[in-house]
C-alpha cells in the first residue's frame, strides 16, 4: 500500500466534509488521524474526491460516497432539488394532457422550466459549494436559505399557473400583486446568496481536482451574468407595468431569456465536467486543458446568446 507523504499533514483539514473539531469530538481525533493515515492512497484531503480516479472507482460510487459524507444542509438541498425536478416533470405531463400554449405569460411552460431549472441549480449549488473554502456553518445557513428561496420561486410560479394568470409582473389584483412582489423579493435574495458564493470562490482558491478551481470560478462568474440579465428583465418589466403597459411588459423580456437560461447552468456544467474527468486515465495537465477549452466554448455560447438578444431587441 502506498501512502501519501502529506497524509499526516493534511489530516487536520476537512475529512469527508467534517471540520477538525467536529471529527475529533465525534470519533476521537488522534485515533482517527492515525487510522486514516494508514488508509490513504494518494488522496488529497482538501478535496471531496480523489485527485485521480483509481481502477474500480466509478462516478456512481463517488457520488454515493459524497452523499454519505454530506452535511444535513447538503442533503436537504439535494432532496428539495429532486422534489422541484419532479414537480417540473409532473407539470410537463399536465401540459401533455391539458394542452394549451407553450409560450406566453400564461402556460404550463413556466412551472416545467422553473421546476427543472431551480431543482438542478439547487442540487448543483449544494455540490459545488463543498469545494469552496468557508465554514461549514456559514455554508449550511446559505444553502438552507437558498433552498427555501427556490421553493418560494417555484411555488409562486406554479400557483399562478394553476390559477391561469401570469406569475411575474402581474399587478391586476391584490393576490396577484402579492405573488408578483414575493417572486421579485425572492429573486433579489437569489442574487444575494449566489453572489456571496461567487465572491467566496474568488477570495480563496477553491479545492478540488485539476480544473475544478477554474471550473468553479468560471461557472460562478457566468452565473452572475445570468443573475444580472434576470434582474434586468424584472426591472424592465416593472417599469413598463407601472407606466400602464402591462401587455408590453410580458413581451419585453423575451430578448434576454436565452442569455439568462444559458448563463445560469454554467455552475453545473463546468464543475461536472472537471469532476467526471477524474475518472479518466488522463493526466492533470490534459484535464486542465480540457476544462479550459470547455470554459472557452461556454463563453462563446454566452456571447452568442447576448448577441441574439441585441439583434432581437
Amino acid at each position: 500500500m502506498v501512502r501519501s507523504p502529506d497524509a499526516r499533514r493534511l489530516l487536520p483539514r476537512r475529512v469527508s466534509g467534517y471540520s477538525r473539531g467536529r471529527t475529533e469530538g465525534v470519533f476521537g481525533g488522534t485515533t482517527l488521524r492515525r487510522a486514516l493515515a494508514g488508509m490513504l492512497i494518494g488522496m488529497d484531503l482538501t478535496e471531496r474526491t480523489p485527485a485521480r480516479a483509481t481502477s474500480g472507482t466509478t462516478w456512481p460510487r463517488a457520488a454515493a460516497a459524497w452523499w454519505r459524507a454530506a452535511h444535513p444542509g447538503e442533503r436537504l438541498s439535494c432532496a428539495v432539488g429532486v422534489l422541484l425536478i419532479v414537480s417540473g416533470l409532473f407539470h410537463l405531463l399536465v401540459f401533455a394532457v391539458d394542452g394549451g400554449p407553450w409560450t406566453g405569460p400564461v402556460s404550463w411552460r413556466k412551472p416545467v422550466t422553473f421546476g427543472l431549472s431551480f431543482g438542478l441549480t439547487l442540487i448543483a449549488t449544494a455540490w459545488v459549494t463543498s469545494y469552496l473554502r468557508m465554514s461549514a456553518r456559514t455554508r449550511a445557513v446559505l444553502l438552507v436559505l437558498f433552498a427555501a428561496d427556490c421553493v418560494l420561486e417555484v411555488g409562486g410560479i406554479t400557483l399562478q399557473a394553476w390559477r391561469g394568470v401570469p406569475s411575474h409582473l402581474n399587478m391586476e389584483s391584490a393576490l396577484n400583486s402579492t405573488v408578483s412582489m414575493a417572486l421579485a423579493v425572492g429573486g433579489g435574495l437569489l442574487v444575494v446568496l449566489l453572489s456571496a458564493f461567487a465572491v467566496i470562490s474568488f477570495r480563496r482558491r477553491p479545492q478540488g481536482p485539476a480544473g475544478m478551481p477554474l471550473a468553479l470560478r468560471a461557472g460562478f462568474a457566468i452565473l452572475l451574468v445570468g443573475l444580472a440579465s434576470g434582474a434586468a428583465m424584472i426591472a424592465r418589466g416593472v417599469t413598463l407595468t407601472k407606466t400602464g403597459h402591462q401587455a408590453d411588459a410580458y413581451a419585453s423580456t423575451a430578448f434576454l431569456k436565452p442569455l439568462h437560461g444559458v448563463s445560469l447552468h454554467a455552475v453545473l456544467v463546468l464543475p461536472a465536467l472537471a469532476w467526471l474527468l477524474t475518472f479518466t486515465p488522463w493526466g492533470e495537465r490534459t484535464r486542465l486543458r480540457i476544462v479550459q477549452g470547455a470554459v472557452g466554448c461556454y463563453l462563446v455560447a454566452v456571447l452568442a446568446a447576448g448577441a441574439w438578444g441585441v439583434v432581437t431587441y
Side-chain angles (χ1 to χ4, degrees):
M1 181 178 294
V2 180
R3 299 182 182 180
S4 170
D6 296 327
R8 195 173 298 277
R9 176 177 61 82
L10 290 171
L11 278 170
R13 303 180 73 90
R14 294 183 67 194
V15 181
S16 297
Y18 289 92
S19 64
R20 180 184 181 186
R22 180 175 174 183
T23 304
E24 293 182 350
V26 177
F27 300 102
T30 303
T31 302
L32 178 65
R33 288 199 299 274
R34 288 177 178 174
L36 289 179
M39 294 167 57
L40 291 174
I41 307 176
M43 181 181 290
D44 182 354
L45 291 182
T46 62
E47 303 176 5
R48 295 293 295 268
T49 57
R52 183 81 173 272
T54 59
S55 59
T57 302
T58 61
W59 70 264
R61 290 180 180 178
W66 180 88
W67 175 258
R68 289 192 297 269
H71 290 250
E74 294 172 332
R75 293 188 176 186
L76 174 64
S77 297
C78 291
V80 172
V82 170
L83 291 177
L84 295 179
I85 292 173
V86 170
S87 174
L89 295 175
F90 169 75
H91 286 91
L92 182 61
L93 178 62
V94 171
F95 169 72
V97 174
D98 185 61
W102 180 252
T103 59
V106 182
S107 72
W108 292 116
R109 168 187 56 83
K110 301 190 77 173
V112 171
T113 56
F114 276 79
L116 296 176
S117 181
F118 272 89
L120 288 172
T121 301
L122 178 55
I123 294 173
T125 302
W127 170 58
V128 301
T129 55
S130 65
Y131 292 101
L132 300 184
R133 298 178 183 271
M134 58 191 301
S135 71
R137 178 174 298 180
T138 299
R139 180 165 163 265
V141 170
L142 293 177
L143 282 178
V144 170
L145 287 175
F146 185 53
D149 202 10
C150 289
V151 172
L152 170 65
E153 292 290 309
V154 177
I157 290 165
T158 303
L159 171 66
Q160 297 297 72
W162 280 97
R163 293 181 65 231
V165 296
S167 55
H168 293 85
L169 312 175
N170 187 353
M171 306 294 181
E172 296 180 355
S173 69
L175 177 57
N176 291 332
S177 297
T178 300
V179 173
S180 182
M181 291 303 300
L183 293 176
V185 172
L189 182 57
L190 288 176
V191 172
V192 172
L193 294 173
L194 293 174
S195 296
F197 285 131
V199 170
I200 292 171
S201 72
F202 280 94
R203 288 188 61 184
R204 301 184 65 186
R205 188 176 187 273
Q207 306 169 113
M212 182 62 76
L214 172 62
L216 287 168
R217 286 176 168 175
F220 275 114
I222 296 173
L223 174 65
L224 293 180
V225 175
L227 296 177
S229 60
M233 287 192 290
I234 293 175
R236 178 174 173 79
V238 169
T239 300
L240 290 172
T241 299
K242 289 185 176 181
T243 55
H245 301 86
Q246 186 73 60
D248 293 335
Y250 294 139
S252 65
T253 61
F255 73 100
L256 283 174
K257 288 181 178 178
L259 175 62
H260 182 65
V262 171
S263 302
L264 285 181
H265 297 291
V267 75
L268 167 60
V269 174
L270 296 176
L273 173 63
W275 180 69
L276 289 173
L277 287 173
T278 63
F279 302 95
T280 68
W282 300 324
E284 291 188 358
R285 180 175 298 181
T286 300
R287 287 183 279 140
L288 176 59
R289 288 177 177 175
I290 292 174
V291 173
Q292 290 172 338
V295 170
C297 291
Y298 213 103
L299 289 174
V300 170
V302 171
L303 291 174
W308 187 91
V310 172
V311 171
T312 58
Y313 176 70

